[in-house]
Amino acid sequence: MTDESKTPSASRRAFLRGGLAAAGGAAAAAAAGRAAASGDPAITELQPWNQYLGEGVDARPYGMPSQFESHVVRRNVEWLTADTTSSVNFTPLHELDGIITPNGLCFERHHGGIAEIEPDKHRLMINGLVEKPLVFTMADLMRFPRENRVYFLECAANTGMEWRGAQLNGCQYTHGMIHNVMYTGVPLRMLLEEAGLRTNAKWVMPEGADAAAMTRSVPIEKALDDCLVAFKMNGEALRPEQGYPLRLVVPGWEGNMWVKWLRRIEVGDEPWHHREETSKYTDLLENGKARRFTWEMDAKSVITSPSPQVPITHGRGHTVITGVAWSGRGRVTQVDVTLDGGKTWRKARIDGPSLSKSMHRFYLEFEWDGSPLLLQSRAHDDTGYLQPTKDELRAVRGENSIYHNNGIQTWYVNEKGVAENVEVS
Amino acid sequence: MLKRAAPLALAALVAAPSAAQADKFGLGREATQDEIAAWDIDIRPDGQGLPEGSGDVWTGEEVYVEQCASCHGDFGEGIDRWPILAGGWGSLESEDPVKTVGSYWPYLSTVWDYVHRAMPFGQAQSLSDDEVYAVTAYILYLNDLVDDDFTLSKETFAEVEMPNEDGFFMDNREEVEPWMSDSAEACMTDCKDEVEITYRAAVLDVTPADAAAREAAEKAAGEGEQTASAETEAEAEPAAEEGPDPELVAAGERVWNKCRACHKVGEGAANGVGPHLNGVVGREAGSLEDYRYSKAMETAGEDGLVWNDETMTEYLANPRKMIRGTKMTFAGLRDEEDIDAVLAYIEAQQP
């Protein structure tokens, strides 16, 4: 440092106390031992990074974000579950942009903790109603033709805590059980054809190698359609918490079906009705009956900024609203935004790639006059689906269905720019 | 269900088996019967997959008390937030439905399948087939679905019908939810006369505090605070070098995976299913104030048992042999090296 008597931030605090007036710079000038300069010391004074060398190219073999971004992390809610090994954490949507979720920030949901699998010992078995039951090593799977696809993965319980009212004050918590990633993998269809499907094959059952040994029943039409057996996410190997070395990708369908640490696919003629499709992931309605096999994730959107964790701090004037939208049935064709709780809507601008069953990024820029706002977003998809309000959903489903809450989200923003999770009439 | 089904129909597969064979990649190899037997553990509602074996209600109770009750409760009532297994009959239409095996699960096969593949939590696939039959019978008994003289076996399985088997129907969102096709009619202006706030999250205040606090703190603080904290961390590290062998501790962390479902250790550790292990070395057995030990453990402590390297090693090798009646549902660590490692890990985590 050129001046060891103060750090850059101390000089900035001195600047703020002293104000912009040249006379006020006298104190700073005396301390600095330089002629008083007007202007932001961040510019007028040399900063350490302007002068001194940083770390070399051997210091960070796997690069991490800046220390100044250390608040951008996954977070969990302690009181939601009995133990963190069968629990969930949330993607920090409020801090992200674009449509790709960085691998280290993809939310996690485990039922038996993160399995640590040695790839040389990992096997994928295909058995059941097949001509020849097969076993593959990871090396075998790398020799099949690959596909690259960008898909969202949303937990069916995303926003599940919000059925009865506005509860968690931040979009990370209300909407953070979602991520969007490019998968590289082998179409499941190719692996099933390699084993040879028998004529009565109607269902497949993926199974995990972790302590939860997760299973779900997948209809054969979907298995042969666009399912992938994936080993890469955003270019690198799946993270352990995302199923390393192998997971199933079931585009547009409930996240629970995307079995991680995939070890087996059984082919059968009836569904298995296992725990995750009976006890869980069934939607209980007011009449005491429950929907089963609610596979498709409905079109949904949320404004990620401003939101409770990222208030407006710049005051009146040109303001950027941003958020994400997605649909398990295809592409998002339009996103509307309202500033007045749903009286008037404007079309937001979708920017970046618009891919089927992928997250989309939208922006609305407007001149904020400093008055309170009731912000909402509403997604349309290419099947003609319109994102419903929470009231509309509750009228049909009641409040106990837990899953598939894709209702319109409202943020109340006050004159100070602070945002709060609310519901409106 | 799938209105927009994939064009590849089953008929195409039936029509051209020989063509499909010619297109095979020749990758992978045939699974052996033993391999399939090892992994093909799934059970279907029609009983397909059930192994030979049986278990009666009272044997089930013995297994349940030892292996299940510490989380699921003596009567299946669920402790803390662990799942409730019994009860809730007739509650599905109420404001607070209680979904249990008896009140909600449609098929018994689901119980057998799940208990076998995933339970006890932290020791999955450790029950024998007979034990799974027995525990399943006991869960039925807890739910008043069988009498206490019932024996569940592959043969009697079909006799049991679950009360809520008809409680489910196929996803019908596309038929009954109007917004599925409302896009074209979406209102853009004058959509409502009035808007009122009807619910506010800030009132509930259940959002994790650290998030908001940390972000506020980071916004207020300047770079100076960031560099200052980085410096103190750098100073603190050399001190951590003393203590147990780091390699052993790392190995111990892997062994700890078997313990962590029930035990916590380190900064902020609290009692859970099992007592926390802060200060355990040198502590009289069964002596933490606010943890409900088994009678056997309390008595052992009163009789003079103190946890040290030797006694902990003996206990971890075979808990129920050393303290008959302990409620710690763990078979034991067979490998002495694993015991050394996990003890080193526990020591290293002491705050």
Side-chain angles (χ1 to χ4, degrees):
Chain A
M1 292 213 175
T2 48
D3 187 299
E4 55 277 352
S5 70
K6 56 184 165 68
T7 64
S9 65
S11 76
R12 179 163 74 87
R13 285 195 279 273
F15 163 75
L16 288 171
R17 274 198 300 276
L20 270 170
R34 287 200 286 264
S38 74
D40 184 351
I43 300 172
T44 58
E45 292 180 11
L46 271 180
Q47 304 300 325
W49 51 86
N50 302 141
Q51 294 191 267
Y52 305 110
L53 299 177
E55 290 183 338
V57 298
D58 57 342
R60 307 182 193 189
Y62 193 93
M64 297 300 286
S66 163
Q67 55 171 310
F68 303 110
E69 297 298 308
S70 61
H71 56 289
V72 182
V73 287
R74 300 183 278 225
R75 293 188 172 88
N76 70 322
V77 177
E78 288 285 331
W79 52 261
L80 269 181
T81 52
D83 192 88
T84 56
T85 49
S86 183
S87 191
V88 68
N89 62 25
F90 302 87
T91 305
L93 294 174
H94 59 295
E95 293 284 359
L96 302 177
D97 216 321
I99 64 167
I100 297 293
T101 313
N103 288 350
L105 295 176
C106 290
F107 87 96
E108 306 171 60
R109 202 303 189 223
H110 312 306
H111 293 78
I114 301 170
E116 295 278 0
I117 297 182
E118 291 170 54
D120 296 337
K121 286 192 176 166
H122 190 68
R123 302 286 180 270
L124 177 65
M125 178 187 290
I126 303 189
N127 75 308
L129 297 179
V130 292
E131 281 158 22
K132 188 163 129 181
L134 295 175
V135 168
F136 300 104
T137 62
M138 291 305 299
D140 294 333
L141 294 171
M142 305 296 275
R143 295 167 65 188
F144 281 90
R146 301 171 202 164
E147 286 184 2
N148 296 296
R149 295 288 184 273
V150 180
Y151 292 128
F152 76 86
L153 185 163
E154 184 184 14
C155 177
N158 198 18
T159 322
M161 297 79 75
E162 303 292 308
W163 273 107
R164 297 203 172 177
Q167 181 165 213
L168 288 166
N169 213 18
C171 73
Q172 177 168 19
Y173 305 104
T174 57
H175 288 75
M177 296 189 211
I178 185 171
H179 55 66
N180 204 61
V181 146
M182 171 172 276
Y183 294 98
T184 304
V186 180
L188 177 57
R189 186 187 76 251
M190 285 190 191
L191 300 176
L192 293 173
E193 284 168 359
E194 187 73 1
L197 291 171
R198 293 208 186 281
T199 55
N200 54 345
K202 296 237 176 25
W203 293 84
V204 302
M205 186 199 83
E207 181 179 78
D210 64 326
M214 172 79 49
T215 51
R216 283 291 297 253
S217 307
V218 181
I220 195 92
E221 296 86 354
K222 181 64 172 176
L224 294 172
D225 182 16
D226 54 4
C227 289
L228 294 176
V229 173
F231 37 81
K232 295 264 203 284
M233 57 187 291
N234 294 336
E236 63 176 357
L238 293 171
R239 292 295 176 89
E241 68 271 22
Q242 301 298 335
Y244 179 86
L246 204 65
R247 85 170 308 162
L248 186 65
V249 172
V250 191
W253 286 23
E254 294 185 317
N256 173 254
M257 303 177 80
W258 300 43
V259 173
K260 300 193 287 285
W261 310 292
L262 183 68
R263 77 163 189 181
R264 187 166 74 100
I265 310 257
E266 178 165 333
V267 182
D269 60 354
E270 306 250 17
W272 284 263
H273 294 294
H274 280 173
R275 184 221 191 215
E276 307 306 325
E277 50 201 4
T278 54
S279 169
K280 306 290 173 185
Y281 300 100
T282 51
D283 310 358
L284 182 63
L285 305 183
E286 274 183 320
N287 64 356
K289 302 290 182 200
R291 287 176 173 154
R292 63 156 57 119
F293 294 157
T294 48
W295 293 313
E296 284 156 320
M297 299 305 293
D298 298 310
K300 189 168 171 182
S301 69
V302 65
I303 290 171
T304 56
S305 175
S307 64
Q309 294 159 289
V310 278
I312 302 175
T313 53
H314 54 62
R316 303 176 184 202
H318 194 259
T319 303
V320 174
I321 295 175
T322 186
V324 286
W326 59 94
S327 171
R329 295 192 175 84
R331 293 174 41 253
V332 172
T333 49
Q334 182 176 321
V335 179
D336 309 318
V337 169
T338 174
L339 309 179
D340 56 21
K343 290 191 213 164
T344 1
W345 293 87
R346 317 178 192 192
K347 269 201 216 173
R349 177 172 65 88
I350 293 178
D351 190 276
S354 170
L355 303 165
S356 177
K357 301 170 192 169
S358 159
M359 236 192 230
H360 292 54
R361 168 66 57 179
F362 67 86
Y363 300 96
L364 184 84
E365 291 94 2
F366 75 109
E367 291 300 310
W368 187 35
D369 62 3
S371 58
L373 305 164
L374 282 167
L375 302 178
Q376 297 179 337
S377 66
R378 176 177 75 181
H380 305 238
D381 80 13
D382 61 5
T383 67
Y385 188 103
L386 179 69
Q387 183 178 2
T389 64
K390 290 173 80 175
D391 283 339
E392 285 175 313
L393 279 173
R394 287 188 283 236
V396 172
R397 304 192 195 161
E399 293 183 346
N400 288 320
S401 59
I402 302 176
Y403 306 103
H404 295 285
N405 182 356
N406 66 320
I408 289 171
Q409 172 64 41
T410 312
W411 306 118
Y412 168 66
V413 180
N414 69 14
E415 290 97 343
K416 299 204 184 83
V418 174
E420 184 187 352
N421 177 11
V422 300
E423 285 190 12
V424 294
S425 57
Chain B
M1 198 206 324
L2 288 170
K3 291 286 154 83
R4 288 164 288 284
L8 179 65
L10 289 176
L13 288 166
V14 174
S18 52
Q21 282 200 17
D23 293 339
K24 288 200 204 293
F25 294 92
L27 295 170
R29 60 151 176 88
E30 187 157 2
T32 69
Q33 287 308 304
D34 284 347
E35 287 170 343
I36 295 173
W39 281 9
D40 191 18
I41 58 174
D42 51 285
I43 316 296
R44 281 192 348 184
D46 63 3
Q48 189 191 92
L50 280 173
E52 297 301 327
S54 67
D56 66 87
V57 168
W58 294 121
T59 308
E61 189 191 36
E62 283 172 27
V63 178
Y64 182 89
V65 162
E66 273 199 1
Q67 309 260 24
C68 321
S70 52
C71 295
H72 290 292
D74 290 333
F75 305 105
E77 76 276 17
I79 295 179
D80 294 336
R81 298 189 72 97
W82 297 105
I84 304 172
L85 300 183
W89 311 296
S91 72
L92 297 184
E93 291 165 64
S94 75
E95 257 196 39
D96 282 302
V98 178
K99 292 149 125 182
T100 72
V101 171
S103 71
Y104 195 66
W105 294 35
Y107 303 110
L108 186 60
S109 53
T110 315
V111 181
W112 206 104
D113 174 271
Y114 184 71
V115 169
H116 174 247
R117 70 171 58 247
M119 289 289 124
F121 193 62
Q123 290 271 271
Q125 300 193 50
S126 63
L127 297 175
S128 70
D129 292 344
D130 285 342
E131 284 174 326
V132 177
Y133 276 111
V135 162
T136 305
Y138 188 65
I139 291 172
L140 285 171
Y141 175 73
L142 285 177
N143 279 285
D144 264 345
L145 293 173
V146 299
D147 292 327
D148 63 5
D149 59 357
F150 181 72
T151 297
L152 185 67
S153 69
K154 187 173 171 184
E155 290 71 40
T156 62
F157 217 85
E159 287 169 23
V160 181
E161 261 180 27
M162 304 299 281
N164 199 43
E165 184 176 335
D166 293 331
F168 298 83
F169 61 97
M170 195 59 210
D171 182 9
N172 65 344
R173 284 174 290 173
E174 297 199 10
E175 280 92 66
V176 309
E177 300 192 345
W179 48 83
M180 300 283 314
S181 51
D182 269 356
S183 172
E185 281 94 51
C187 173
M188 295 299 281
T189 54
D190 294 321
C191 305
K192 299 184 195 180
D193 292 327
E194 280 176 28
V195 173
E196 266 183 2
I197 294 179
T198 55
Y199 213 111
R200 308 182 63 146
V203 171
L204 284 178
D205 197 23
V206 290
T207 311
D210 81 294
R214 192 187 312 139
E215 310 206 48
E218 261 142 15
K219 277 192 162 50
E223 303 144 11
E225 297 198 26
Q226 299 265 8
T227 42
S229 62
E231 279 163 17
T232 14
E233 274 169 27
E235 280 165 34
E237 281 195 17
E241 295 279 344
E242 302 159 11
D245 166 18
E247 266 186 39
L248 194 59
V249 169
E253 187 170 8
R254 282 192 284 282
V255 180
W256 176 254
N257 284 337
K258 299 186 200 201
C259 322
R260 59 203 304 250
C262 303
H263 289 288
K264 301 279 181 282
V265 67
E267 202 66 52
N271 293 332
V273 174
H276 73 76
L277 300 182
N278 288 353
V280 64
V281 179
R283 181 161 74 215
E284 180 187 293
S287 65
L288 277 181
E289 283 281 320
D290 44 7
Y291 180 77
R292 211 182 93 214
Y293 294 93
S294 62
K295 197 91 194 68
M297 185 61 76
E298 280 178 0
T299 307
E302 282 155 17
D303 288 348
L305 176 61
V306 171
W307 293 121
N308 55 38
D309 210 56
E310 195 193 311
T311 54
M312 287 174 83
T313 299
E314 190 193 337
Y315 187 63
L316 288 178
N318 195 333
R320 280 176 288 218
K321 182 167 174 217
M322 182 184 172
I323 301 188
R324 210 179 168 64
T326 176
K327 64 185 219 185
M328 176 158 123
T329 60
F330 182 63
L333 293 168
R334 252 171 280 138
D335 201 324
E336 177 112 24
E337 279 177 20
D338 282 350
I339 298 181
D340 289 339
V342 79
L343 290 180
Y345 176 80
I346 291 169
E347 193 196 335
Q349 303 312 304
Q350 297 298 314

